[in-house]
Amino acid sequence: MGNQLTDIDLCEALSDIFVDNEVDYEYIASVAKHFPLEHVEMVFFEWVAPVCYTNGLTPVPPVWTFFEREQLWEDIQLIRQKKKTENKIEKIKMNIRQCFLRRYLAKDWQCLKDKLID
């Protein structure tokens, strides 16, 4: 991999927020700091959160250590593709989900953002 981090590296790090374990914001920030803050925010809310958020909503989350890197990336690509081809009803549903995710994950985003701004 070298020193050049990619979007898949960022997604993998951000997905750690959604595992059923204590969140290591320091580690996530160590990866995210290599990207513009606006990009990290967009990737977190628009790519990673829609794929991973349900893990935190279940009584016994299926993922408690890590999301499998390749499957995570594949799922993100499916969401990105769907976003391009969805109808008006789907767009409304996606916008509602985005509003929910921004509220639901506001504390997590603020913790990470604080680490990135320091």
Side-chain angles (χ1 to χ4, degrees):
M1 178 175 74
N3 290 340
Q4 191 68 11
L5 294 175
T6 64
D7 279 339
I8 192 170
D9 298 311
L10 177 60
C11 292
E12 184 178 31
L14 290 170
S15 73
D16 284 356
I17 289 173
F18 301 93
V19 297
D20 187 28
N21 226 326
E22 189 170 335
V23 178
D24 184 353
Y25 292 103
E26 293 289 338
Y27 164 72
I28 299 166
S30 75
V31 174
K33 71 179 182 183
H34 297 279
F35 299 86
L37 184 63
E38 297 78 23
H39 183 69
V40 174
E41 183 177 14
M42 183 278 298
V43 169
F44 178 63
F45 285 110
E46 295 181 26
W47 296 5
V48 178
V51 169
C52 301
Y53 81 98
T54 57
N55 196 63
L57 298 177
T58 58
V60 180
V63 179
W64 54 275
T65 52
F66 63 90
F67 285 87
E68 197 280 315
R69 179 182 171 94
E70 297 306 320
Q71 186 63 56
L72 173 67
W73 189 244
E74 193 175 304
D75 293 344
I76 288 169
Q77 296 315 306
L78 286 172
I79 281 190
R80 292 178 68 198
Q81 187 59 41
K82 184 179 177 184
K83 195 174 188 179
K84 293 177 186 175
T85 60
E86 64 194 1
N87 62 39
K88 288 185 182 197
I89 300 281
E90 289 299 317
K91 283 185 184 191
I92 291 168
K93 286 167 52 177
M94 194 168 260
N95 286 338
I96 290 169
R97 183 179 65 200
Q98 277 299 314
C99 289
F100 164 74
L101 290 174
R102 286 210 173 253
R103 282 194 177 279
Y104 180 69
L105 299 167
K107 287 181 183 175
D108 290 298
W109 172 246
Q110 192 60 53
C111 287
L112 178 58
K113 187 175 172 183
D114 289 347
K115 300 281 184 209
L116 293 171
I117 293 174
D118 285 346

